[in-house]
Amino acid sequence: MEGKIETLWNEVRELNLGTSGELDRLDFPPTPLQFLRDFVSQNKPCIISNATHHWPALTRWTSDSYLTSALSSSHVSLHLTPHGRADALVPSPSSSSLCFASAHVQRTPFPEALRLITAAKNDASSFVAYAQQQNNCFPSEYSPLAADCDPHIQFATEALGCRPEAVNMWIGDERSTTSFHKDHYENLYAVVTGQKHFLLLPPTDVHRMYVREYPAAQYSYSPVTGEFELEMESPARSVPWSSVDPYPAPEDSSSSLSKFPLFFNGPKPFCCTINPGEMLYLPSMWFHHVRQSPDSRGRTIAVNYWYDMQFDIKYAYFNFLQSIQCPPIESQTLAETVQEDLDSDAPEKTEDE
Amino acid sequence: MEGKIETLWNEVRELNLGTSGELDRLDFPPTPLQFLRDFVSQNKPCIISNATHHWPALTRWTSDSYLTSALSSSHVSLHLTPHGRADALVPSPSSSSLCFASAHVQRTPFPEALRLITAAKNDASSFVAYAQQQNNCFPSEYSPLAADCDPHIQFATEALGCRPEAVNMWIGDERSTTSFHKDHYENLYAVVTGQKHFLLLPPTDVHRMYVREYPAAQYSYSPVTGEFELEMESPARSVPWSSVDPYPAPEDSSSSLSKFPLFFNGPKPFCCTINPGEMLYLPSMWFHHVRQSPDSRGRTIAVNYWYDMQFDIKYAYFNFLQSIQCPPIESQTLAETVQEDLDSDAPEKTEDE
C-alpha cells in the first residue's frame, strides 16, 4: 500500500501540478471561466499578480497613523501566545505528550492591539500578538477599512457562484507562524504589506502530514503577572492536527527525519512567497504552513477570502485515501505518545489561514 | 479495505450525486460557468433538455429518403457483429475463456449501410449492423449532414476552452448494445431519433466493474458465406474490460450474482433514458452501458461530442483507487479464467460511446 500511495503523490505532480515545486503564476486576474477550469476544478493552486492593484489598502495600510485613526474606536480580536504559535502542538501541561494549544484571545481597542503587536517584540519576557480571527472579522471588526479593499473577489465570486463565506484580516509579524493544516474552503489570500511564505502539499499527500488526534488546550494570559497558563479544555476535546514541523530546530532535525520520514523524504512541498499586491489561490483541502516577513515597519498585513467548497468526488476520494493507514501503525516510529484512532469523519478545525 | 471502498461508493452519492439513482435534469442548456462548476468540476452527469431544438436533424433525420439522398455518394464505417455486441466479451475461439471481440468494420456506401441496418433484422441467419466509428466520423464520413446539427456544443466549448476532439455518429437499432466501459473524454451525447438507455457508475465504483485483462479478437464477416469468423489478434494484445453484464439472461442471473456481487449488491447504477432533443453529459471516467430503442422506422440516431478531459487530481485518485485490489484476489469467485494482472497504467481502449 505504501508504494501505491507514493505513486499517487508522484502522479498528481507529473500529470497536473508539476514537479518543480513552483506554482503557476498569472500576471493578471483570470476570467471566472479560466479560474474555474484551470484551477478550482483541478484543485490546483496559483499565484495571481496585479489582482489588487486598485485597492487603496496597498498604500493606506502602510501607515500606522492611518490605521489607528480609521480604527480609533474599533475593538479587534487579538491572539496572544508565548511564542507566536497559535493552533499548534506544544507539550501538554498534564502529561508527557503533546496537546493542541489555542491562543488567548482578547477583544482589544485597535490602537492598543497595534501597539502590542509591535511593542511585544522588544520585551523578551512577554508574548507574541497576532490580530486575527477567522469568523469573517474583516467586515465586522474592521468595518471602517471596508472601502480600502474589495468585499469579495469578483472573478472568484462569479466562478464559484457565491459571495465569500468569510473575509478575514491578519496583522502580525515574523514571530507568528501557522502550523500545517487544511481548510474546507476555497481560499483567496491577498497580501497587503510584508510577505507571506507558504509551504503547500496537495490533499493526496495526507499521510505525509502525520495527522493525529491531540487533546485541546487553551492559553490564558494574565496581564498582571505577564505570564501564560496552558489548561486542557474541559470537557475534553480532541483535534486532528498535523504532527509535522517543517522547520525543526537544528538539534531536532535528525529526530524529525526519523519521526516524519514520509514528509522529509517525499516530494518537496510547493513553496511560494506572496508579496503585496499578489494573491494566492489556495485550493480547498490543501495542507499549508504559513510564515511571514514584515514590511519596514515590522508588520505583515493580509486579507483572505474563504469561499464554500464543493463536497464532490474529490472530497470523497480524499476521505477514502485518509481512511487508509500508511505506513502501517506497527512500523511507525513516532516518539510522542499520541492517539492513533484516526477518524476520517472527525470534523477538522478550520479556523486558520 | 472492502469496507473503506464501500464507504467511498456511498459517500460520493450521499455528498454529491444523490442516492435515488436519478440524474440531475436541466430544462435548458447551462451557461458555460454553470456547466463547469456544477457538473464538469464535480465529475457529475446531467441530462439537458432543449439543447438541440434548433437542429434541423431532429426533423430531417427521421426521413430515410432525406438521409440516403444527402449521403448518396458517401461511404460510412459499418460495424458488423453476429449479435449486436461489438467491443464486448465473448467466448474465445482458442480457449475456454473469454476474449474481447471487436466488430468487423467495412466502409459501405451509405444507402447500402442503411439498408443493411434495417434488412438484417428480418434475416435470422445474418448479422447486426451498426453505423458508427469513434474517429471523428461525423464531420468526415457524414459531412453532407454538417448543417443539420452543431459542429460543437457552444456551452461546452466555452466551458472547456477547446473544440471537441471528436464528433461521432451512431445509427443502429435495439439489437446493438455497448458493454460497460469508460472513456478518457468529457462526453456530450445527443439523441436525434429513437432513445438511448444508459446505466452509469461513477469512477469511484471501479471495483464493481470487475475490470480484467482479456485477449483481443476480431470478427471478420464473409458476405459469400454470410458467416463470421472470430480470430485472436496477432500479435497478441490484451484489453482491460469490464466483466459485468448488467442484464444477464434469466438462466444466468444467479451465476452472475455470485460472480459479480459488488456490482449486483452495491448501490444501483444511475439509470436514464435520453430522448430526441435531449443530451446527456457523461463525465470522463464514468462507466457506462448503453442500450437503445428505435423510432417508428426502427432506427436510433445519435451524435456525441468528445472533449479532452483534464488529467488532474481526480484522475490521479482514480488510478490510485484502481490499483487497490478489492475484494482480495483469493476470495474472488470468477468462473472464467482471466488474466488477473491488473495494470493501472495500461491505456484503456476508448473507442466506444
Side-chain angles (χ1 to χ4, degrees):
Chain A
M1 184 54 70
E2 284 177 70
K4 290 172 180 172
I5 292 178
E6 199 173 332
T7 298
L8 173 60
W9 305 337
N10 292 319
E11 189 169 70
V12 74
R13 289 167 171 80
E14 284 158 13
L15 286 173
N16 188 242
L17 301 173
T19 54
S20 68
E22 302 272 316
L23 300 186
D24 281 14
R25 191 174 266 280
L26 306 183
D27 289 336
F28 294 99
T31 65
L33 268 174
Q34 184 192 358
F35 179 57
L36 198 48
R37 176 174 62 226
D38 296 345
F39 301 101
V40 180
S41 173
Q42 301 188 30
N43 198 240
K44 182 177 181 176
C46 65
I47 300 168
I48 303 159
S49 298
N50 298 303
T52 61
H53 54 281
H54 59 289
W55 287 11
L58 286 177
T59 49
R60 291 180 181 167
W61 295 6
T62 56
S63 156
D64 280 2
S65 61
Y66 172 80
L67 292 171
T68 48
S69 163
L71 297 164
S72 59
S73 57
S74 299
H75 283 65
V76 300
S77 297
L78 191 68
H79 286 224
L80 301 181
T81 54
H83 308 294
R85 301 185 307 122
D87 290 355
L89 302 179
V90 301
S92 167
S94 64
S95 74
S96 61
S97 62
L98 297 177
C99 67
F100 174 83
S102 299
H104 173 95
V105 184
Q106 59 184 42
R107 295 269 288 183
T108 306
F110 180 80
E112 169 72 358
L114 203 59
R115 195 187 64 74
L116 291 175
I117 292 168
T118 310
K121 195 184 293 194
N122 308 318
D123 179 356
S125 68
S126 190
F127 50 76
V128 175
Y130 197 4
Q132 58 126 320
Q133 190 73 358
Q134 297 83 53
N135 62 354
N136 200 29
C137 70
F138 183 73
S140 54
E141 298 181 357
Y142 295 87
S143 60
L145 302 182
D148 291 348
C149 57
D150 289 334
H152 65 115
I153 305 301
Q154 187 64 39
F155 69 82
T157 297
E158 282 186 48
L160 302 170
C162 58
R163 304 272 288 205
E165 180 68 18
V167 184
N168 300 315
M169 180 74 142
W170 307 81
I171 306 177
D173 66 18
E174 73 281 8
R175 292 166 303 155
S176 287
T177 61
T178 303
S179 60
F180 264 124
H181 69 286
K182 64 176 165 49
D183 299 311
H184 292 111
Y185 290 100
E186 306 294 351
N187 197 347
L188 286 150
Y189 203 109
V191 173
V192 178
T193 75
Q195 296 178 313
K196 292 273 186 176
H197 310 286
F198 289 83
L199 291 182
L200 305 173
L201 280 183
T204 49
D205 292 32
V206 58
H207 297 92
R208 302 180 60 205
M209 293 276 83
Y210 295 86
V211 175
R212 303 288 179 258
E213 296 281 336
Y214 293 94
Q218 179 79 50
Y219 282 117
S220 65
Y221 175 73
S222 161
V224 177
T225 65
E227 289 187 354
F228 284 91
E229 265 193 88
L230 180 60
E231 282 189 87
M232 301 312 295
E233 283 189 17
S234 177
R237 178 174 73 97
S238 84
V239 176
W241 207 255
S242 171
S243 310
V244 174
D245 177 358
Y247 299 111
E251 64 273 22
D252 297 332
S253 66
S254 79
S255 79
S256 278
L257 183 61
S258 70
K259 282 192 283 189
F260 311 119
L262 300 182
F263 178 77
F264 286 104
N265 297 332
K268 64 181 176 182
F270 293 83
C271 180
C272 66
T273 290
I274 308 299
N275 294 300
E278 294 179 340
M279 190 181 276
L280 172 67
Y281 166 55
L282 173 54
S284 57
M285 309 299 285
W286 273 63
F287 294 94
H288 50 292
H289 179 283
V290 194
R291 293 179 304 128
Q292 45 198 334
S293 300
D295 64 11
S296 56
R297 287 170 310 167
R299 223 174 313 293
T300 310
I301 308 181
V303 182
N304 88 290
Y305 299 77
W306 263 345
Y307 286 84
D308 282 340
M309 66 173 279
Q310 292 292 342
F311 292 88
D312 60 14
I313 196 171
K314 297 186 278 286
Y315 182 75
Y317 273 133
F318 172 82
N319 280 342
F320 168 69
L321 175 64
Q322 184 175 241
S323 75
I324 299 172
Q325 286 182 337
C326 164
I329 285 299
E330 52 276 19
S331 73
Q332 286 183 15
T333 57
L334 281 178
E336 301 92 359
T337 306
V338 295
Q339 287 176 246
E340 296 287 6
D341 53 336
L342 252 179
D343 177 5
S344 73
D345 286 326
E348 184 154 317
K349 197 163 182 304
T350 58
E351 295 188 352
D352 285 79
E353 66 193 305
Chain B
M1 185 54 68
E2 283 176 70
K4 289 173 181 173
I5 292 178
E6 199 173 332
T7 298
L8 172 61
W9 305 338
N10 291 320
E11 189 170 69
V12 73
R13 289 166 170 80
E14 284 158 14
L15 287 173
N16 189 243
L17 301 172
T19 54
S20 68
E22 302 272 315
L23 300 186
D24 280 13
R25 192 173 267 278
L26 306 183
D27 290 335
F28 294 99
T31 65
L33 269 175
Q34 185 191 0
F35 179 57
L36 197 49
R37 177 174 61 224
D38 296 345
F39 301 102
V40 180
S41 173
Q42 302 188 32
N43 198 242
K44 182 177 181 176
C46 65
I47 300 168
I48 303 159
S49 298
N50 298 302
T52 61
H53 53 282
H54 58 288
W55 287 10
L58 286 176
T59 49
R60 290 180 181 166
W61 296 4
T62 57
S63 156
D64 280 3
S65 61
Y66 171 81
L67 292 171
T68 49
S69 163
L71 297 163
S72 59
S73 57
S74 299
H75 282 65
V76 301
S77 297
L78 192 67
H79 286 224
L80 301 182
T81 54
H83 308 294
R85 300 186 306 122
D87 290 354
L89 301 179
V90 301
S92 166
S94 64
S95 74
S96 61
S97 62
L98 297 177
C99 66
F100 174 82
S102 299
H104 173 97
V105 183
Q106 59 184 41
R107 295 270 290 183
T108 307
F110 180 80
E112 170 72 356
L114 202 59
R115 195 187 64 74
L116 291 174
I117 292 167
T118 312
K121 195 183 295 196
N122 308 317
D123 180 354
S125 68
S126 190
F127 51 77
V128 175
Y130 197 4
Q132 57 127 319
Q133 191 74 353
Q134 297 82 55
N135 61 355
N136 200 29
C137 70
F138 183 72
S140 54
E141 297 180 358
Y142 295 89
S143 61
L145 302 182
D148 291 350
C149 56
D150 289 334
H152 65 116
I153 304 302
Q154 187 64 39
F155 69 82
T157 297
E158 282 186 49
L160 302 169
C162 58
R163 305 271 290 205
E165 180 68 19
V167 183
N168 300 315
M169 180 75 142
W170 307 81
I171 306 177
D173 67 18
E174 73 281 8
R175 292 167 302 155
S176 287
T177 61
T178 303
S179 60
F180 263 123
H181 69 287
K182 65 175 164 51
D183 299 312
H184 293 112
Y185 290 101
E186 306 294 351
N187 196 346
L188 285 152
Y189 202 109
V191 172
V192 178
T193 75
Q195 295 179 312
K196 293 271 185 177
H197 311 285
F198 289 83
L199 292 181
L200 305 172
L201 279 183
T204 49
D205 292 32
V206 57
H207 297 93
R208 302 180 60 204
M209 293 277 81
Y210 295 84
V211 175
R212 303 287 180 259
E213 295 280 337
Y214 294 94
Q218 179 79 50
Y219 281 117
S220 64
Y221 176 73
S222 161
V224 177
T225 64
E227 289 186 355
F228 284 90
E229 264 193 89
L230 181 60
E231 283 190 87
M232 302 313 294
E233 283 189 18
S234 178
R237 177 174 73 97
S238 83
V239 176
W241 206 255
S242 170
S243 310
V244 174
D245 177 358
Y247 299 111
E251 63 273 22
D252 298 331
S253 66
S254 78
S255 78
S256 279
L257 183 60
S258 69
K259 281 192 283 189
F260 311 119
L262 301 182
F263 178 77
F264 287 103
N265 296 335
K268 64 182 175 181
F270 293 83
C271 179
C272 67
T273 290
I274 309 299
N275 293 299
E278 294 179 340
M279 189 181 277
L280 171 66
Y281 165 56
L282 173 54
S284 56
M285 309 298 286
W286 273 64
F287 294 94
H288 50 290
H289 178 283
V290 195
R291 293 178 303 128
Q292 47 198 334
S293 299
D295 63 11
S296 57
R297 289 169 309 167
R299 212 159 343 276
T300 310
I301 308 182
V303 183
N304 88 291
Y305 299 76
W306 263 344
Y307 286 83
D308 282 340
M309 67 174 279
Q310 292 292 343
F311 292 89
D312 60 14
I313 196 171
K314 298 185 278 282
Y315 182 74
Y317 274 133
F318 173 83
N319 281 342
F320 167 69
L321 176 65
Q322 185 175 241
S323 74
I324 299 172
Q325 287 182 338
C326 165
I329 285 301
E330 51 277 18
S331 73
Q332 285 184 16
T333 57
L334 282 177
E336 303 94 359
T337 307
V338 295
Q339 289 175 244
E340 296 287 4
D341 54 335
L342 253 178
D343 176 4
S344 71
D345 286 326
E348 183 152 318
K349 195 161 183 305
T350 57
E351 296 189 349
D352 286 79
E353 68 191 305

PDB file of all heavy atoms in Angstrom, chain B residues 38-58:
ATOM      1  N   ASP B  38     -20.967  23.157 -11.803  1.00  0.00           N
ATOM      2  CA  ASP B  38     -21.892  22.211 -11.180  1.00  0.00           C
ATOM      3  C   ASP B  38     -21.742  20.789 -11.706  1.00  0.00           C
ATOM      4  O   ASP B  38     -22.236  19.852 -11.081  1.00  0.00           O
ATOM      5  CB  ASP B  38     -23.343  22.676 -11.398  1.00  0.00           C
ATOM      6  CG  ASP B  38     -23.611  24.006 -10.704  1.00  0.00           C
ATOM      7  OD1 ASP B  38     -22.791  24.406  -9.854  1.00  0.00           O
ATOM      8  OD2 ASP B  38     -24.628  24.648 -11.021  1.00  0.00           O
ATOM      9  N   PHE B  39     -21.083  20.625 -12.848  1.00  0.00           N
ATOM     10  CA  PHE B  39     -21.019  19.287 -13.424  1.00  0.00           C
ATOM     11  C   PHE B  39     -19.585  18.834 -13.747  1.00  0.00           C
ATOM     12  O   PHE B  39     -19.118  17.864 -13.166  1.00  0.00           O
ATOM     13  CB  PHE B  39     -21.962  19.213 -14.633  1.00  0.00           C
ATOM     14  CG  PHE B  39     -23.375  19.518 -14.225  1.00  0.00           C
ATOM     15  CD1 PHE B  39     -23.951  20.761 -14.459  1.00  0.00           C
ATOM     16  CD2 PHE B  39     -24.112  18.585 -13.503  1.00  0.00           C
ATOM     17  CE1 PHE B  39     -25.235  21.062 -14.009  1.00  0.00           C
ATOM     18  CE2 PHE B  39     -25.400  18.870 -13.047  1.00  0.00           C
ATOM     19  CZ  PHE B  39     -25.967  20.110 -13.307  1.00  0.00           C
ATOM     20  N   VAL B  40     -18.877  19.530 -14.615  1.00  0.00           N
ATOM     21  CA  VAL B  40     -17.542  19.049 -15.008  1.00  0.00           C
ATOM     22  C   VAL B  40     -16.601  19.008 -13.803  1.00  0.00           C
ATOM     23  O   VAL B  40     -15.965  17.985 -13.540  1.00  0.00           O
ATOM     24  CB  VAL B  40     -16.936  19.928 -16.120  1.00  0.00           C
ATOM     25  CG1 VAL B  40     -15.549  19.414 -16.502  1.00  0.00           C
ATOM     26  CG2 VAL B  40     -17.857  19.950 -17.336  1.00  0.00           C
ATOM     27  N   SER B  41     -16.539  20.102 -13.067  1.00  0.00           N
ATOM     28  CA  SER B  41     -15.620  20.169 -11.924  1.00  0.00           C
ATOM     29  C   SER B  41     -15.959  19.099 -10.897  1.00  0.00           C
ATOM     30  O   SER B  41     -15.078  18.550 -10.249  1.00  0.00           O
ATOM     31  CB  SER B  41     -15.702  21.553 -11.283  1.00  0.00           C
ATOM     32  OG  SER B  41     -14.962  21.597 -10.095  1.00  0.00           O
ATOM     33  N   GLN B  42     -17.233  18.811 -10.759  1.00  0.00           N
ATOM     34  CA  GLN B  42     -17.676  17.830  -9.768  1.00  0.00           C
ATOM     35  C   GLN B  42     -17.722  16.412 -10.325  1.00  0.00           C
ATOM     36  O   GLN B  42     -18.057  15.476  -9.608  1.00  0.00           O
ATOM     37  CB  GLN B  42     -19.059  18.220  -9.230  1.00  0.00           C
ATOM     38  CG  GLN B  42     -19.055  19.611  -8.607  1.00  0.00           C
ATOM     39  CD  GLN B  42     -20.358  19.934  -7.894  1.00  0.00           C
ATOM     40  OE1 GLN B  42     -21.015  19.051  -7.347  1.00  0.00           O
ATOM     41  NE2 GLN B  42     -20.728  21.208  -7.887  1.00  0.00           N
ATOM     42  N   ASN B  43     -17.413  16.277 -11.640  1.00  0.00           N
ATOM     43  CA  ASN B  43     -17.472  14.964 -12.296  1.00  0.00           C
ATOM     44  C   ASN B  43     -18.852  14.326 -12.061  1.00  0.00           C
ATOM     45  O   ASN B  43     -18.985  13.191 -11.609  1.00  0.00           O
ATOM     46  CB  ASN B  43     -16.346  14.059 -11.756  1.00  0.00           C
ATOM     47  CG  ASN B  43     -16.055  12.861 -12.649  1.00  0.00           C
ATOM     48  OD1 ASN B  43     -16.209  11.705 -12.240  1.00  0.00           O
ATOM     49  ND2 ASN B  43     -15.673  13.109 -13.880  1.00  0.00           N
ATOM     50  N   LYS B  44     -19.871  15.110 -12.418  1.00  0.00           N
ATOM     51  CA  LYS B  44     -21.264  14.745 -12.113  1.00  0.00           C
ATOM     52  C   LYS B  44     -22.095  14.837 -13.392  1.00  0.00           C
ATOM     53  O   LYS B  44     -22.113  15.883 -14.045  1.00  0.00           O
ATOM     54  CB  LYS B  44     -21.781  15.740 -11.071  1.00  0.00           C
ATOM     55  CG  LYS B  44     -23.180  15.499 -10.584  1.00  0.00           C
ATOM     56  CD  LYS B  44     -23.530  16.521  -9.490  1.00  0.00           C
ATOM     57  CE  LYS B  44     -24.935  16.280  -8.958  1.00  0.00           C
ATOM     58  NZ  LYS B  44     -25.235  17.204  -7.845  1.00  0.00           N
ATOM     59  N   PRO B  45     -22.787  13.785 -13.766  1.00  0.00           N
ATOM     60  CA  PRO B  45     -23.558  13.806 -15.009  1.00  0.00           C
ATOM     61  C   PRO B  45     -24.851  14.608 -14.889  1.00  0.00           C
ATOM     62  O   PRO B  45     -25.310  14.897 -13.790  1.00  0.00           O
ATOM     63  CB  PRO B  45     -23.888  12.330 -15.251  1.00  0.00           C
ATOM     64  CG  PRO B  45     -23.806  11.688 -13.911  1.00  0.00           C
ATOM     65  CD  PRO B  45     -22.882  12.509 -13.055  1.00  0.00           C
ATOM     66  N   CYS B  46     -25.415  14.962 -16.043  1.00  0.00           N
ATOM     67  CA  CYS B  46     -26.741  15.576 -16.052  1.00  0.00           C
ATOM     68  C   CYS B  46     -27.382  15.356 -17.412  1.00  0.00           C
ATOM     69  O   CYS B  46     -26.700  15.038 -18.393  1.00  0.00           O
ATOM     70  CB  CYS B  46     -26.685  17.070 -15.738  1.00  0.00           C
ATOM     71  SG  CYS B  46     -25.819  18.065 -16.957  1.00  0.00           S
ATOM     72  N   ILE B  47     -28.685  15.503 -17.417  1.00  0.00           N
ATOM     73  CA  ILE B  47     -29.455  15.427 -18.663  1.00  0.00           C
ATOM     74  C   ILE B  47     -29.911  16.844 -18.996  1.00  0.00           C
ATOM     75  O   ILE B  47     -30.405  17.561 -18.118  1.00  0.00           O
ATOM     76  CB  ILE B  47     -30.683  14.514 -18.500  1.00  0.00           C
ATOM     77  CG1 ILE B  47     -30.241  13.103 -18.120  1.00  0.00           C
ATOM     78  CG2 ILE B  47     -31.512  14.501 -19.792  1.00  0.00           C
ATOM     79  CD1 ILE B  47     -31.394  12.218 -17.668  1.00  0.00           C
ATOM     80  N   ILE B  48     -29.728  17.238 -20.262  1.00  0.00           N
ATOM     81  CA  ILE B  48     -30.058  18.601 -20.672  1.00  0.00           C
ATOM     82  C   ILE B  48     -31.173  18.536 -21.714  1.00  0.00           C
ATOM     83  O   ILE B  48     -31.003  17.938 -22.780  1.00  0.00           O
ATOM     84  CB  ILE B  48     -28.814  19.304 -21.253  1.00  0.00           C
ATOM     85  CG1 ILE B  48     -27.676  19.288 -20.215  1.00  0.00           C
ATOM     86  CG2 ILE B  48     -29.155  20.723 -21.689  1.00  0.00           C
ATOM     87  CD1 ILE B  48     -26.289  19.471 -20.806  1.00  0.00           C
ATOM     88  N   SER B  49     -32.303  19.137 -21.377  1.00  0.00           N
ATOM     89  CA  SER B  49     -33.410  19.207 -22.339  1.00  0.00           C
ATOM     90  C   SER B  49     -33.264  20.458 -23.193  1.00  0.00           C
ATOM     91  O   SER B  49     -32.613  21.428 -22.791  1.00  0.00           O
ATOM     92  CB  SER B  49     -34.748  19.274 -21.601  1.00  0.00           C
ATOM     93  OG  SER B  49     -34.940  18.114 -20.835  1.00  0.00           O
ATOM     94  N   ASN B  50     -33.899  20.431 -24.336  1.00  0.00           N
ATOM     95  CA  ASN B  50     -33.938  21.617 -25.205  1.00  0.00           C
ATOM     96  C   ASN B  50     -32.544  22.120 -25.578  1.00  0.00           C
ATOM     97  O   ASN B  50     -32.335  23.314 -25.757  1.00  0.00           O
ATOM     98  CB  ASN B  50     -34.731  22.755 -24.531  1.00  0.00           C
ATOM     99  CG  ASN B  50     -36.164  22.350 -24.290  1.00  0.00           C
ATOM    100  OD1 ASN B  50     -36.872  21.996 -25.225  1.00  0.00           O
ATOM    101  ND2 ASN B  50     -36.575  22.371 -23.032  1.00  0.00           N
ATOM    102  N   ALA B  51     -31.632  21.163 -25.670  1.00  0.00           N
ATOM    103  CA  ALA B  51     -30.258  21.551 -26.002  1.00  0.00           C
ATOM    104  C   ALA B  51     -30.075  21.605 -27.515  1.00  0.00           C
ATOM    105  O   ALA B  51     -29.169  22.274 -28.004  1.00  0.00           O
ATOM    106  CB  ALA B  51     -29.275  20.550 -25.402  1.00  0.00           C
ATOM    107  N   THR B  52     -30.926  20.900 -28.242  1.00  0.00           N
ATOM    108  CA  THR B  52     -30.711  20.763 -29.690  1.00  0.00           C
ATOM    109  C   THR B  52     -31.978  21.069 -30.478  1.00  0.00           C
ATOM    110  O   THR B  52     -32.112  20.650 -31.635  1.00  0.00           O
ATOM    111  CB  THR B  52     -30.256  19.312 -30.016  1.00  0.00           C
ATOM    112  OG1 THR B  52     -31.288  18.411 -29.601  1.00  0.00           O
ATOM    113  CG2 THR B  52     -28.967  18.953 -29.313  1.00  0.00           C
ATOM    114  N   HIS B  53     -32.885  21.838 -29.850  1.00  0.00           N
ATOM    115  CA  HIS B  53     -34.168  22.079 -30.516  1.00  0.00           C
ATOM    116  C   HIS B  53     -34.008  22.839 -31.827  1.00  0.00           C
ATOM    117  O   HIS B  53     -34.883  22.800 -32.672  1.00  0.00           O
ATOM    118  CB  HIS B  53     -35.115  22.825 -29.575  1.00  0.00           C
ATOM    119  CG  HIS B  53     -34.515  24.083 -29.008  1.00  0.00           C
ATOM    120  ND1 HIS B  53     -33.605  24.060 -27.972  1.00  0.00           N
ATOM    121  CD2 HIS B  53     -34.667  25.374 -29.351  1.00  0.00           C
ATOM    122  CE1 HIS B  53     -33.226  25.298 -27.695  1.00  0.00           C
ATOM    123  NE2 HIS B  53     -33.850  26.117 -28.516  1.00  0.00           N
ATOM    124  N   HIS B  54     -32.878  23.503 -31.999  1.00  0.00           N
ATOM    125  CA  HIS B  54     -32.653  24.266 -33.226  1.00  0.00           C
ATOM    126  C   HIS B  54     -31.989  23.425 -34.324  1.00  0.00           C
ATOM    127  O   HIS B  54     -31.727  23.919 -35.404  1.00  0.00           O
ATOM    128  CB  HIS B  54     -31.778  25.479 -32.917  1.00  0.00           C
ATOM    129  CG  HIS B  54     -30.446  25.109 -32.320  1.00  0.00           C
ATOM    130  ND1 HIS B  54     -30.306  24.632 -31.031  1.00  0.00           N
ATOM    131  CD2 HIS B  54     -29.189  25.135 -32.840  1.00  0.00           C
ATOM    132  CE1 HIS B  54     -29.028  24.389 -30.788  1.00  0.00           C
ATOM    133  NE2 HIS B  54     -28.330  24.685 -31.868  1.00  0.00           N
ATOM    134  N   TRP B  55     -31.731  22.161 -34.062  1.00  0.00           N
ATOM    135  CA  TRP B  55     -31.068  21.326 -35.064  1.00  0.00           C
ATOM    136  C   TRP B  55     -32.068  20.872 -36.139  1.00  0.00           C
ATOM    137  O   TRP B  55     -33.051  20.183 -35.818  1.00  0.00           O
ATOM    138  CB  TRP B  55     -30.492  20.060 -34.432  1.00  0.00           C
ATOM    139  CG  TRP B  55     -29.273  20.228 -33.576  1.00  0.00           C
ATOM    140  CD1 TRP B  55     -28.714  21.386 -33.135  1.00  0.00           C
ATOM    141  CD2 TRP B  55     -28.475  19.155 -33.054  1.00  0.00           C
ATOM    142  NE1 TRP B  55     -27.610  21.118 -32.367  1.00  0.00           N
ATOM    143  CE2 TRP B  55     -27.431  19.747 -32.294  1.00  0.00           C
ATOM    144  CE3 TRP B  55     -28.522  17.761 -33.139  1.00  0.00           C
ATOM    145  CZ2 TRP B  55     -26.456  18.992 -31.640  1.00  0.00           C
ATOM    146  CZ3 TRP B  55     -27.552  17.016 -32.485  1.00  0.00           C
ATOM    147  CH2 TRP B  55     -26.534  17.621 -31.744  1.00  0.00           C
ATOM    148  N   PRO B  56     -31.795  21.158 -37.394  1.00  0.00           N
ATOM    149  CA  PRO B  56     -32.634  20.575 -38.459  1.00  0.00           C
ATOM    150  C   PRO B  56     -32.648  19.044 -38.402  1.00  0.00           C
ATOM    151  O   PRO B  56     -33.619  18.409 -38.830  1.00  0.00           O
ATOM    152  CB  PRO B  56     -31.957  21.093 -39.734  1.00  0.00           C
ATOM    153  CG  PRO B  56     -31.256  22.351 -39.326  1.00  0.00           C
ATOM    154  CD  PRO B  56     -30.800  22.112 -37.923  1.00  0.00           C
ATOM    155  N   ALA B  57     -31.598  18.448 -37.854  1.00  0.00           N
ATOM    156  CA  ALA B  57     -31.512  16.983 -37.789  1.00  0.00           C
ATOM    157  C   ALA B  57     -32.738  16.369 -37.126  1.00  0.00           C
ATOM    158  O   ALA B  57     -33.173  15.263 -37.503  1.00  0.00           O
ATOM    159  CB  ALA B  57     -30.250  16.571 -37.025  1.00  0.00           C
ATOM    160  N   LEU B  58     -33.297  17.071 -36.128  1.00  0.00           N
ATOM    161  CA  LEU B  58     -34.391  16.474 -35.360  1.00  0.00           C
ATOM    162  C   LEU B  58     -35.578  16.130 -36.243  1.00  0.00           C
ATOM    163  O   LEU B  58     -36.302  15.161 -35.969  1.00  0.00           O
ATOM    164  CB  LEU B  58     -34.822  17.409 -34.217  1.00  0.00           C
ATOM    165  CG  LEU B  58     -33.851  17.478 -33.035  1.00  0.00           C
ATOM    166  CD1 LEU B  58     -34.320  18.501 -32.021  1.00  0.00           C
ATOM    167  CD2 LEU B  58     -33.697  16.105 -32.385  1.00  0.00           C
TER     168      LEU B  58
END
